[in-house]
Amino acid sequence: QMNPRLWYGAPSGMLRLPVSGGGGAGGDEIRIERLNLDSPRISPSGEFSVTADRLRFTLSGANFQIDRDRTLATESFQIGSVVATPGTPLQVKMEFTTAELTVGYEFLRHAFVLEEGGRPAEAPVKLHVHVLAGVRLYDTSFRVRDLSGSASASADEFFLEPIVGLRGDLERVEDFSIILQLSGGGFADSSRSSYSADVAVGFQWRPIPNLGLQLGYRQLAYGLTAGEDEDEFSYNGRLAGLCVGITLPF
């Protein structure tokens, strides 16, 4: 099935960008609200899955972008090589892409049973629980430029980490289902590290057999670090918000 969705999400967290030209010390770690990057945006996201007996193969992803051609600093701070004071005009850009590929195994399948006329009968409600394993990637890009001078700061980083998780589907066979998915992962070596925790819940109504309407909420929390000293990049934050979309089974 295919699940195209729109994610009305907003980022948050702490950001550090590398300092160009060296100097032996990294830039300050600042809240991205200071760069006016915390506004919610409608972003594309989606999922494609294939189920074979108890196995479920899923590819999903989302992309968030925000571009501030001109925004004024409201406080004093330093981000990378850019030193801002109240009123400093800044050009700020952010792009954040995440995607994941997982394989799930359905280890629990339960049909709720009621009594009808003294005999057990299957109710039209079924529970499916999958254990998941796979990989999650992040592709991040930040640009900050002082429009009143020549200073700028930027970073383009890519991270890949293994993840594990659980997915539960509670289905009323005819027309309604509730979906809850929890996953997390991490990876670290000498110069790069990442970790994540992802929570997503969705409610789906199927007015006709081959179309489902979805409403849900997702919060993806992450910590991304690369380099050290003046070359250090780090972004520890969250991307969270409502999701709406459709489900197209085939």
Side-chain angles (χ1 to χ4, degrees):
Q1 66 179 19
M2 296 179 62
N3 301 99
R5 294 190 290 261
L6 295 175
W7 189 6
Y8 185 65
S12 63
M14 304 292 290
L15 175 68
R16 187 195 306 272
L17 296 181
V19 176
S20 60
D28 296 334
E29 186 177 45
I30 69 168
R31 293 192 176 278
I32 65 170
E33 294 93 313
R34 293 190 177 187
L35 299 173
N36 200 15
L37 292 175
D38 60 327
S39 300
R41 288 287 187 274
I42 297 177
S43 304
S45 67
E47 179 180 284
F48 176 77
S49 61
V50 176
T51 301
D53 193 20
R54 290 184 177 267
L55 294 178
R56 177 186 177 92
F57 302 89
T58 304
L59 174 65
S60 63
N63 173 265
F64 177 89
Q65 296 185 47
I66 186 168
D67 190 341
R68 301 292 193 190
D69 287 333
R70 183 182 176 89
T71 186
L72 299 179
T74 58
E75 303 177 41
S76 297
F77 60 84
Q78 178 179 346
I79 180 73
S81 301
V82 177
V83 179
T85 57
T88 299
L90 301 172
Q91 182 184 60
V92 185
K93 297 181 180 182
M94 171 187 176
E95 183 171 1
F96 184 91
T97 300
T98 182
E100 58 189 65
L101 177 65
T102 60
V103 178
Y105 176 75
E106 184 186 40
F107 69 92
L108 176 62
R109 180 185 298 173
H110 179 71
F112 291 91
V113 175
L114 299 176
E115 293 287 334
E116 289 184 359
R119 301 178 59 186
E122 183 177 294
V125 178
K126 295 183 179 180
L127 174 65
H128 306 267
V129 183
H130 290 77
V131 61
L132 309 174
V135 292
R136 177 179 291 138
L137 67 84
Y138 310 89
D139 189 6
T140 64
S141 174
F142 291 90
R143 300 281 186 275
V144 181
R145 186 165 70 92
D146 181 357
L147 295 176
S148 65
S150 59
S152 64
S154 64
D156 293 279
E157 299 291 344
F158 180 86
F159 299 85
L160 186 68
E161 65 184 19
I163 60 172
V164 294
L166 289 172
R167 175 188 171 103
D169 295 71
L170 186 63
E171 300 179 343
R172 175 172 171 162
V173 175
E174 292 89 349
D175 55 13
F176 186 76
S177 61
I178 301 173
I179 304 154
L180 174 64
Q181 182 166 313
L182 310 172
S183 65
F187 175 80
D189 62 18
S190 59
S191 61
R192 307 178 69 80
S193 66
S194 68
Y195 68 86
S196 65
D198 191 13
V199 180
V201 60
F203 302 89
Q204 179 174 276
W205 173 57
R206 291 180 296 276
I208 58 176
N210 293 322
L211 175 66
L213 307 179
Q214 274 193 351
L215 174 65
Y217 180 86
R218 182 185 182 190
Q219 177 174 272
L220 174 62
Y222 41 80
L224 311 172
T225 304
E228 57 185 14
D229 297 329
E230 72 273 10
D231 294 324
E232 182 180 346
F233 163 83
S234 66
Y235 178 29
N236 301 294
R238 296 188 302 271
L239 187 59
L242 293 173
C243 300
V244 294
I246 61 174
T247 300
L248 301 170
F250 55 90

